[in-house]
Amino acid sequence: MPTKSPRTDPAIRRTRWSTALTCIEPNKILVRGYALDELMGRVSFGDAIYLLLTGDLPTPSISRLVDAMLVSFIDHGATPPSTLAARNAATTGTSVRGAVAAGVVAFGRHYGGDILACRQRLDEGLAIVRSGEPMTAAAQEIVRRLVGAGEIPPPGFGHRYHTIDPRATRLLQIAHELEIDHRYTPFIRTLEHALSRHPALEERSLPVNVDGAVAAVCGDLGLPPEVADALLLVSRIPGLAAHVLEEQNREPPMRAIDPLAHDYDGPTGRKLGGRWK
Amino acid sequence: MPTKSPRTDPAIRRTRWSTALTCIEPNKILVRGYALDELMGRVSFGDAIYLLLTGDLPTPSISRLVDAMLVSFIDHGATPPSTLAARNAATTGTSVRGAVAAGVVAFGRHYGGDILACRQRLDEGLAIVRSGEPMTAAAQEIVRRLVGAGEIPPPGFGHRYHTIDPRATRLLQIAHELEIDHRYTPFIRTLEHALSRHPALEERSLPVNVDGAVAAVCGDLGLPPEVADALLLVSRIPGLAAHVLEEQNREPPMRAIDPLAHDYDGPTGRKLGGRWK
Amino acid sequence: MPTKSPRTDPAIRRTRWSTALTCIEPNKILVRGYALDELMGRVSFGDAIYLLLTGDLPTPSISRLVDAMLVSFIDHGATPPSTLAARNAATTGTSVRGAVAAGVVAFGRHYGGDILACRQRLDEGLAIVRSGEPMTAAAQEIVRRLVGAGEIPPPGFGHRYHTIDPRATRLLQIAHELEIDHRYTPFIRTLEHALSRHPALEERSLPVNVDGAVAAVCGDLGLPPEVADALLLVSRIPGLAAHVLEEQNREPPMRAIDPLAHDYDGPTGRKLGGRWK
Amino acid sequence: MPTKSPRTDPAIRRTRWSTALTCIEPNKILVRGYALDELMGRVSFGDAIYLLLTGDLPTPSISRLVDAMLVSFIDHGATPPSTLAARNAATTGTSVRGAVAAGVVAFGRHYGGDILACRQRLDEGLAIVRSGEPMTAAAQEIVRRLVGAGEIPPPGFGHRYHTIDPRATRLLQIAHELEIDHRYTPFIRTLEHALSRHPALEERSLPVNVDGAVAAVCGDLGLPPEVADALLLVSRIPGLAAHVLEEQNREPPMRAIDPLAHDYDGPTGRKLGGRWK
């Protein structure tokens, strides 16, 4: 005999709710107001991602910058723990989805978290600038806070492998070329300079890394921090999926995956030609 | 006192291994042989995904078709259980990554699995064609097998909401325009016709759906089934992330999410203009 | 030709590491120093969990209290979003593991997070007591802080369904019977009393809930907050697994799971007899 | 203006559904018909797990056997890829839940999957026995099938580390002592003997491992295969959680986790005394 269910508790009411993302009706799908079948073949995947996350299609400049960001983070080889989590899952013969999910949950405070943390420091610095201080003074104040809080290397600066992160250099250069470098990108360069001059950090090389560049560029694009964070997650999934497929196609099951004993045996020295030059 | 560790078991050896995806050296990142910073700003995210998963950059036609596929699956509103799993996770206040992961593991045999299952039936049918049978005969044989196995609706045909899936129509049309419709796409149309003529299925409308169209197009692109499957997973992540962000920005925490009591309150009737016409 | 791998970067060194949990040698498994095959058949699963997480086997009283906690949280029906995330995953036909994982990531700040948040407030209050204040004064101060921070209902108090949480009452009663009620459990009762007397909260019923009771009991057991949190996660897995199995055995695939339209149709009114009386 | 939502499609109906697991009413929680607060302090966590998954409380013998199974699988050190997936997630600073989820999805065909695969072969063999053949003949037939299918080592036999799996020996011994060794456990021993006599396998040692022992014991307990599988998943969560906590408490973040370079530095040689003798 069925008993009274929780719905009889008036505290738990059935509530209609709304979504502004995608409208589904029979034979009709609207994404942010555009017919999905009209978007197909006309807008790029990057543009559709931007549309879905922000509500509007990007201008050509923003489109190019967003694609550059998504490409910059698409993979970082077999070294990140996230990729190793996905490969360790894959070696057990779990599904591709299962193994990708293991990689998705393996983004944490120390990996991927720097975009949010860096954005916050940039926002603090730009608040000081808005209060009337020059950028250099604001940057020096942020460096003082970072050193005081023991946040060295600061989020968005320095890298385990790279002394100069080629992705950061390129992303900031593209933002500059496209004239999407209003406040955040100049400020992060000022901050980088202030870090290099701080007496306690003289010995260290702490250039802007890809997380810092993404934080700054997303700031200048006016994206809320959590959208920047979501973009990053979206951008790494192809890398996770590719590692899972390679693990399952190329390696024996249940192997002990040594994170330091791997080589790259793919092609090298390829150059973009034709339509990409 | 540390004891002997498993490595002393000769069965567990340290083995060097290789990856052909991405080469990481100090200040240098090669994706499938191309410098990542050269790819940035030049190739689209869709092209970079194709490069990473297949090893080569796409031709312009393939690029446009792959982007159309990725866009076609980017979101399907709040109706899929995968999206509801992500929203149920999000309402607890878990991290965006955690909630997206809940959506990723909520792809199963009955949701997302049809691409692999449909591809297998298409491969069976095309094997019959290669043995000398005409396409219509091969399609009739596949329909017999589907009916015999009780696989009605067959994987890749019919839809819970749509009598004509607008994404499937458009994707097959783009493949046709780009002349990437060698064998799989004509065969899936032949199969659709044979289904409509089968006496036991006369009453039912079983047109090709987006899973079927993706299975056929990936077949004509020469992509292995598991790469098609990975593309699909990649393409839905932005949708999952957008629902998670909307849930956390717009709804109260710990709400009971009624999957049938939601409305769309975003814009409608927007038209692509400018560079997208 | 393999290229130089990251290991050549001197910053990334191979480092031996240690674990104090389980020793694996050929034909021998020690858990926290005990032979696993000796533990089997002698210690209960609850005792083994305590051993693994804390390093020692529990006394009989602690054993009984830990088991009571684990049992208290084993399931809360189909109402929690975590359980609904797992069921939404299960309806897609994903693996049992995949669906359970969807439930695991669906614990967040608003669900399951109260144990840590409540523990922190209890620790604050007991710090005031240690500084010489009587318990009632310390409790009043904590209520002031909670009201000031807008944390109403406070973590560990009140419940969406229950005006008196039967699990909390029973858990605190068992702790009292076993004389494991040194400081945290009396203090949480004092805090409950202070809440009921606060003018701004007169109208509300905010009794200790199961999260609060677990937080207090774990405090009196001397368990670090993160171990309490891990115990909770462990204890709910059977519930998640049972819902996933029920969903897949009993319901049609790809159903729209209405969180408010379910009834209980199992047995009612069963009484513990025999050895459990 | 809200548009028509999917509910207007008559194919998607709101359907009441039922659960027989747990009844939630204000101030009352029944698990399988028993008041949860009565279960607390009276039944062990293992008994509550059995109740939730099967519908009934176990007899004392079954209780002891189920606890022995749950304990047997509680941890296997840092060697399983599942544990390494969880540790790789943990080193990024993700939440304990996120890292445990990475371990949960890292159970696959090659890890944890043997219980289901072994059970199927045992069921095949016992079907032959029921048709009138003696056990030895049935076992020889199953060995022929395993060798023919290339399933060597067969699921449930042999181990990467252990030549004799101490957990299997002990579990089968407990089942024998408790007289829960009706058909599956004698048959798996007969199968082990048949394997050792097969000419193609003379050189190999393929004793029953813990997966095989669990498959057989669950068979004799009358548990459906998917419940056996769920029990296994439940039993390993404490191990995953303990490794995640140890990783985050003891190791630096973002370390490269070498799966072969670890030692055990916990206690050794502890003996059960007192009430556990």
Side-chain angles (χ1 to χ4, degrees), chain D residues 8-9 22 31 61 74 118 122 135 176 191 196 204 207 214 219 224:
Chain D
T8 60
D9 180 345
T22 300
V31 172
S61 292
I74 199 166
C118 178
L122 297 178
M135 256 196 192
H176 181 69
L191 195 51
S196 73
R204 305 190 60 157
V214 166

Side-chain angles (χ1 to χ4, degrees), chain A residues 14 16-17 19-20 22 27 32 37 40-41 56 64 75 97 162-164 170 229 246 258 263 270, chain B residues 14 16-17 19-20 22 27 32 37 40-41 56 75 97 162-164 170 229 246 258 263 270:
Chain A
R14 184 179 303 281
R16 287 200 76 78
W17 54 287
T19 174
T22 299
N27 305 337
R32 295 286 197 177
D37 49 337
M40 290 167 62
D56 287 295
R64 197 162 152 239
D75 193 41
R97 290 110 194 240
H162 310 299
T163 51
I164 299 289
R170 177 78 175 125
D229 191 45
E246 192 184 56
D258 185 332
D263 302 296
R270 291 168 94 177
Chain B
R14 184 180 304 281
R16 285 199 78 78
W17 54 287
T19 175
T22 298
N27 305 337
R32 295 289 197 174
D37 49 337
M40 290 167 63
D56 287 296
D75 194 41
R97 291 110 194 241
H162 310 299
T163 53
I164 299 289
R170 177 77 176 126
D229 191 45
E246 194 185 56
D258 185 332
D263 301 297
R270 292 168 93 178

Side-chain angles (χ1 to χ4, degrees), chain C residues 45 68 156 159 204 211:
Chain C
F45 186 43
H159 199 275
R204 304 191 61 157
D211 290 344

Side-chain angles (χ1 to χ4, degrees), chain B residues 43-96:
Chain B
V43 310
S44 71
F45 186 43
D47 288 353
I49 293 170
Y50 186 89
L51 170 66
L52 195 52
L53 288 176
T54 72
D56 287 296
L57 283 165
T59 65
S61 294
I62 293 176
S63 168
R64 197 162 151 240
L65 191 53
V66 167
D67 257 12
M69 269 199 296
L70 291 168
V71 169
S72 74
F73 206 71
I74 198 165
D75 194 41
H76 198 262
T79 62
S82 163
T83 304
L84 290 162
R87 278 191 178 261
N88 270 292
T91 195
T92 70
T94 195
S95 63
V96 173

